Amino acid sequence: MIRCLAIDDEPLALQQIAAYIKKIPFLELAAQCQSAVEAQKFLEQDSVDAIFCDINMPDLNGMDFVKSLQVPPMIVFTTAYSEYAVEGFKVNAVDYLLKPFGMQDFQRAANRLKERAQQVQGPMVQEIQDSKVEGQKSGEDEGSFFVKTDYRVVKITIADIRYVEAMSEYLKIHIEGEEKPIVTLLSMKKMEERLPQNFMRIHRSYIVNLTKIQEVNKNRIIMDAETYLPVGDMYKDAFQRFIDAKFLGKA
């Protein structure tokens, strides 16, 4: 399933995109926003796999919005002005929909999103699986793995991972003692399968190393003075069971 964000300052156009997304079996509408500024706020709290984004919007246009994203998801631009097509593909947009467009055009764009998702996900998953198999064959311990980042292959020691954050089809792996996270193309599901039992999925967008938690405050996990991670509704019960099992002096 490809989680999508729809952005358009025209209410009717936004409703049309949302309706089209709901008609495609492999697309899921995560949210709809009437401005890029509103979309920025949403993405600070959640992640998506694809964005259908209008270009001509007040305050912050769609092109500049996409360029501002540190790790942009797959992008389909929508606009009434054909002169933006070339510029759109310069930022590696998956497709470009010229308004007014119908369901047939939208289906084409959706199929291209699906193809792109399969292209970028498949090779990386296979590399991680191959790396794991090779480690087992050589008798190497399972305390580390390799990922691709910025055209490099780097080794990550599992015990040093503080938490993993989902950003569209990318992951940010936050490492103890490192100022910047390692960004790699991989799914949360594959990462969750690879990590040992002292890691727990606490949110759609977060996996946390339980040994690195400093404090729990209501529905937030405090990793340090600047890092607060939310506990999602789907994961509250499992996390509470972990806390109860570790709670000293419980009656």
Side-chain angles (χ1 to χ4, degrees):
M1 188 69 72
I2 300 174
R3 279 171 50 82
C4 302
L5 174 63
I7 311 171
D8 201 304
D9 63 315
E10 299 177 7
L12 291 179
L14 186 60
Q15 290 175 19
Q16 181 191 48
I17 295 171
Y20 285 164
I21 290 173
K22 292 176 182 178
K23 290 181 180 180
I24 306 293
F26 54 84
L27 298 185
E28 173 189 353
L29 180 64
Q32 44 188 315
C33 301
Q34 285 192 255
S35 71
V37 175
E38 183 183 346
Q40 284 179 327
K41 293 178 180 178
F42 171 80
L43 291 174
E44 288 174 0
Q45 303 296 325
D46 208 337
S47 62
V48 296
D49 304 307
I51 298 177
F52 289 87
C53 185
D54 186 27
I55 293 179
N56 292 281
M57 293 185 289
D59 298 326
L60 178 63
N61 71 51
M63 198 70 66
D64 290 338
F65 162 69
V66 170
K67 290 177 181 178
S68 74
L69 298 176
Q70 183 179 6
V71 184
M74 297 180 289
I75 303 295
V76 175
F77 282 116
T78 64
T79 184
Y81 301 93
S82 59
E83 62 266 26
Y84 286 109
V86 173
E87 188 177 357
F89 286 114
K90 284 182 180 179
V91 296
N92 201 28
V94 175
D95 206 350
Y96 176 94
L97 290 170
L98 184 62
K99 297 178 180 179
F101 53 85
M103 185 61 193
Q104 185 175 355
D105 292 328
F106 191 88
Q107 180 73 64
R108 180 202 69 212
N111 289 339
R112 288 182 176 175
L113 284 175
K114 185 177 181 180
E115 290 171 4
R116 177 71 64 87
Q118 291 171 341
Q119 288 170 1
V120 298
Q121 194 77 342
M124 179 57 70
V125 170
Q126 188 61 49
E127 285 173 16
I128 295 297
Q129 291 173 340
D130 291 345
S131 175
K132 183 175 180 180
V133 169
E134 287 302 316
Q136 292 170 343
K137 287 180 180 178
S138 64
E140 187 176 306
D141 66 39
E142 287 296 297
S144 63
F145 55 81
F146 291 86
V147 297
K148 265 187 180 177
T149 180
D150 295 332
Y151 305 102
R152 298 177 295 127
V153 176
V154 299
K155 181 179 180 180
I156 295 178
T157 301
I158 293 174
D160 292 338
I161 299 174
R162 298 176 66 231
Y163 64 98
V164 179
E165 179 183 3
M167 297 289 290
S168 182
E169 71 265 34
Y170 291 84
L171 297 183
K172 285 185 176 181
I173 305 173
H174 296 262
I175 305 294
E176 191 78 51
E178 297 291 337
E179 184 177 348
K180 293 183 178 181
I182 293 173
V183 179
T184 188
L185 185 62
L186 192 65
S187 71
M188 283 289 271
K189 180 180 178 182
K190 284 296 176 184
M191 179 61 75
E192 194 173 12
E193 291 173 351
R194 180 64 183 82
L195 293 172
Q197 292 183 349
N198 60 299
F199 285 81
M200 180 180 289
R201 184 82 172 264
I202 60 161
H203 188 275
R204 180 190 291 273
S205 301
Y206 295 103
I207 298 172
V208 65
N209 186 340
L210 298 170
T211 67
K212 305 291 186 182
I213 295 174
Q214 290 189 3
E215 185 179 334
V216 179
N217 187 338
K218 296 182 180 179
N219 292 324
R220 296 190 305 173
I221 291 174
I222 300 173
M223 305 297 291
D224 55 49
E226 299 179 350
T227 308
Y228 296 73
L229 306 181
V231 180
D233 291 339
M234 290 176 56
Y235 308 93
K236 285 180 182 177
D237 291 344
F239 183 69
Q240 188 60 50
R241 286 194 295 271
F242 163 76
I243 294 297
D244 291 344
K246 297 290 184 180
F247 196 84
L248 186 62
K250 180 181 177 183

